[in-house]
Amino acid sequence: MRRLLTLLALLPLAACALEPDYIHVRHTPVAGVQAIPGAERIGLQVETRDARTANRDRVSVKKNGYGMEMAPIIATNDVIAETRQAVIGEFEARGFRIGGTDGRVEVEVLRFHSEFRAGFWSGVAAADLQVNVKITDPTGRIVFTRTFTAEGLNPNIQIASGENARIALEAGLQRLIRQIGDDPDLARALMALAPPAPVPAPTAGRRPIS
């Protein structure tokens, strides 16, 4: 009975469910990231690839009061490029240089989508983001690979709108990037790419007094 009342309450709010929504998904860096001592010695190339097998043309979909999928929710910006810039920003905050040749970071975006779920009195927008991160050294040898998954929640919503999906997606992207930046194994793999320290030139000794 409660679920029926919830669905009936959502019906008038879904009047625009047939119209697509367009949103701009943006990453907001978290303040207070600590730089890693010595990271400035390492220059990185960062690349991203869209490895999504579905929903490439949308980041969510509206639902009506019965939970039926309706119009798409489409990102007006390139979420793959946004992910790359977010990763670059996180590495720069940790002290690494971008544009060098000490290592290559490849980020495959596997999932970038938000789903609306109905509850008894309100709903929730749940974003699901997943990427695979691979790091190679200058010879092409893989020194690190790991899959990162993050969820972003926007609870207590009354309408399956683009704005509510955006909030969940941005929360998920922020969590995802912090997971990457906080991973100790990833940090160790990057630090191991540091070039050898230059050997100081020998100093000329004093000539013996004859």
Side-chain angles (χ1 to χ4, degrees):
M1 182 64 181
R2 288 181 178 179
R3 184 175 179 82
L4 177 60
L5 291 174
T6 300
L7 293 175
L8 292 175
L10 289 175
L11 283 176
L13 296 175
C16 299
L18 296 176
E19 294 291 331
D21 267 4
Y22 298 90
I23 60 175
H24 189 102
V25 181
R26 184 170 298 165
H27 174 258
T28 302
V30 178
V33 175
Q34 297 296 317
I36 301 174
E40 70 281 355
R41 296 175 54 206
I42 303 161
L44 302 172
Q45 295 286 339
V46 178
E47 299 181 3
T48 51
R49 185 172 72 88
D50 190 353
R52 293 175 293 173
T53 58
N55 302 318
R56 284 192 173 193
D57 61 335
R58 63 188 68 184
V59 291
S60 187
V61 62
K62 293 182 179 181
K63 290 185 177 180
N64 63 16
Y66 296 102
M68 298 171 57
E69 292 191 354
M70 306 298 285
I73 297 173
I74 301 168
T76 57
N77 62 317
D78 185 347
V79 296
I80 307 303
E82 186 71 17
T83 302
R84 177 179 182 272
Q85 287 304 121
V87 172
I88 287 176
E90 185 70 14
F91 285 161
E92 287 181 328
R94 303 281 173 176
F96 297 100
R97 291 183 293 105
I98 303 301
T101 59
D102 298 311
R104 180 178 176 183
V105 181
E106 297 180 42
V107 182
E108 287 186 315
V109 180
L110 305 174
R111 294 200 297 268
F112 202 109
H113 193 262
S114 183
E115 183 78 12
F116 291 103
R117 304 170 186 167
F120 282 112
W121 303 112
S122 62
V124 60
D128 176 25
L129 283 73
Q130 186 178 72
V131 300
N132 185 65
V133 177
K134 181 174 69 174
I135 301 173
T136 54
D137 66 12
T139 69
R141 181 175 63 93
I142 298 174
V143 298
F144 176 89
T145 181
R146 181 161 296 169
T147 299
F148 295 88
T149 302
E151 185 178 52
L153 298 178
N154 181 14
N156 304 317
I157 62 174
Q158 298 296 326
I159 184 170
S161 67
E163 177 63 14
N164 282 325
R166 180 191 63 79
I167 294 172
L169 288 165
E170 291 185 346
L173 182 58
Q174 190 175 77
R175 287 186 177 183
L176 182 74
I177 299 304
R178 286 310 300 270
Q179 278 188 32
I180 295 172
D182 290 341
D183 188 279
D185 295 331
L186 186 148
R188 280 191 290 269
L190 290 178
M191 292 303 296
L193 297 171
V199 178
T203 57
R206 293 182 178 179
R207 296 181 62 183
I209 300 175
S210 56

